[in-house]
Structures are given as structure tokens and as C-alpha cells.
Amino acid sequence: VFVVLCTLIMRFRDADGRWGHAESRLFYVYGTGGGGNIPAAPIAAAEYFFDTDPGVGNGTALPTGAQQDVVALNTVIDASMLSVGTHNLCIRFQDADGRWGHADVRPFVVLEEGALQNDECLGATALPLHPFGACPANGTAGSTEEATSSDATQCWGGEYNDVWYTVNSGTSNQVTIDLAAVTAVDLRVEVYDGCNGNLLQCMASFPQAFSSTLNTTYRLRVYGVGADGSFGICASAAQADCLGQI
């Protein structure tokens, strides 16, 4: 039996001819001496670990049940021993022939007890994209009063207690952010293309729009330069023309 490690790479194009980033996945091809393919062995075991790989087979076992081709995991993973900050959860599977696959990695953030869920970028709160004209009436309530600072702001310098939101552009080529202060003072927004990503726009007056790529998720960093406090935030799509096109 021979084994070949291959990479499957896929990308998609939208109706306007724009291509997205390629996604890649590693996989093995197993064959016989005659060159024919044989079915992959079923999944027999799984394990997980945090951050540092302890070596194949040395992670914490996950229940997979009877051997089968597809496994649905529904279990509680204890992360109580982890420190506050960013960590990686890594999971890998073993087939019935004893072969382990590559670990799948997912980052997450451990917050201080009582901290806001959206205090860090990875815990950002998803905002719905409302139709044109629906903001600010349908805004989402927010506050920076219990937040902490991520780091120095890229737009105006200085460190301010901030909270994070996401918004997906859907079928709109423009997203408008409406931010209304309640007790917060001098609110600002920084728009990013991802956590630790590129800064796309700085906002200090509202409503304000930024150009968007279709079906793309953006990260919004919100903070008050004058004082922490509460606010309402709302995201809306571009205005459609008389034919219903944006």
C-alpha cells in the first residue's frame, strides 16, 4: 500500500467576476500496489489539546462511539485551567488502521470573570445588516463601561476601552454604520478586515459608510475617546435602485 499526501485547494467567484481567497485542505490518498484506490478506514478515535501539541496519541480522548465514516462530537471540553488570553483548541482523529490525521485548530479567547463577551475581537458580537433606512431605529445596545483596551488605536493613538462587533455585507457593496451615544462621549469606530487584520477605515462622525466586498465579514472596534459609556450601534445596506439592485 502506498500513501500520498495531497492538498485540495478551492476558491469561489461571485456574479461580478470577483474571486475570493483560496481555501486549502490536506488529505491522504491510499492505494494498492496495482494503483487502485481503496476505501478510507472509518474513524475510530479522537483527541484534543490546547496550544502545544503533546504528540500524536497523547492528547485528551474524545468519545467517538462506534467506528464510522462521519462522527458528530457533542461534549463539554474543560478549559478552566487556561489563563486569560488567546488560546488554540486543536482536535485530530484516528482511523481504524491506527493512522492519525492533522490537527484542526480553532483560536478562542478566555476572558476575565465578569468581562464583556465582545471585549476582544475573537468574541465580537454579530450585528444584523438592516435594509437602507432602518437605522438607527433598529440599533443594538452596547457599552464600553466594563471593557478593557485591546491595544493602542491605529486611527487616533492612545489606548481606550473598546468593544468589538462584526457585520457581513451580504449582497451590499456598501455598509453604513450609525452610532448614537447615550452616556459614552466622543465615540469612534475602526473598521478591519479581520482580527489582527488590515485597518480599512476610521470613523469619528455618524452615520458613515465604507465600501464592502459582497458577502464579506468586517470587524468593528468601538470606543469612546471622551468617556466610557453606553451607546446604540446599527449597520445598514446600500440603497437599492428602482429595479431593486444595489
Side-chain angles (χ1 to χ4, degrees), residues 167-191:
V167 61
N168 188 282
S169 57
T171 59
S172 180
N173 58 12
Q174 178 178 284
V175 174
T176 298
I177 303 300
D178 209 314
L179 193 60
V182 179
T183 61
V185 178
D186 196 5
L187 287 166
R188 310 289 175 91
V189 172
E190 295 178 355
V191 182

Side-chain angles (χ1 to χ4, degrees), residues 38-207:
I38 58 175
I43 296 170
E47 65 178 13
Y48 74 88
F49 58 91
F50 296 111
D51 301 327
T52 302
D53 193 338
V56 172
N58 295 323
T60 302
L62 288 167
T64 57
Q67 295 183 4
Q68 52 192 319
D69 293 333
V70 178
V71 173
L73 295 177
N74 185 11
T75 187
V76 175
I77 293 178
D78 182 15
S80 60
M81 78 297 292
L82 298 177
S83 61
V84 173
T86 302
H87 296 274
N88 289 312
L89 171 63
C90 311
I91 298 177
R92 62 182 160 221
F93 295 87
Q94 183 188 46
D95 67 18
D97 292 331
R99 295 177 293 233
W100 284 96
H102 296 278
D104 193 23
V105 180
R106 290 292 184 271
F108 66 97
V109 174
V110 176
L111 301 176
E112 295 182 1
E113 185 175 357
L116 293 173
Q117 180 180 352
N118 64 338
D119 189 34
E120 302 292 341
C121 183
L122 287 174
T125 298
L127 294 174
L129 184 67
H130 294 287
F132 178 82
C135 292
N138 294 289
T140 298
S143 175
T144 59
E145 290 177 327
E146 301 297 328
T148 59
S149 173
S150 298
D151 51 34
T153 65
Q154 293 193 43
C155 291
W156 290 279
E159 293 193 10
Y160 303 96
N161 296 331
D162 52 32
V163 288
W164 292 82
Y165 295 88
T166 64
V167 61
N168 188 282
S169 57
T171 59
S172 180
N173 58 12
Q174 178 178 284
V175 174
T176 298
I177 303 300
D178 209 314
L179 193 60
V182 179
T183 61
V185 178
D186 196 5
L187 287 166
R188 310 289 175 91
V189 172
E190 295 178 355
V191 182
Y192 292 87
D193 60 5
C195 293
N196 299 316
N198 299 307
L199 174 66
L200 304 179
Q201 192 160 325
C202 303
M203 298 182 176
S205 59
F206 307 92

Side-chain angles (χ1 to χ4, degrees), residues 11-21 169-174 211-216 218 246:
R11 59 181 160 224
F12 297 88
R13 185 178 67 180
D14 65 24
D16 293 328
R18 292 180 291 240
W19 284 96
H21 294 288
S169 57
T171 59
S172 180
N173 58 12
Q174 178 178 284
S211 297
S212 59
T213 301
L214 302 185
N215 195 33
T216 299
Y218 296 90
I246 293 177

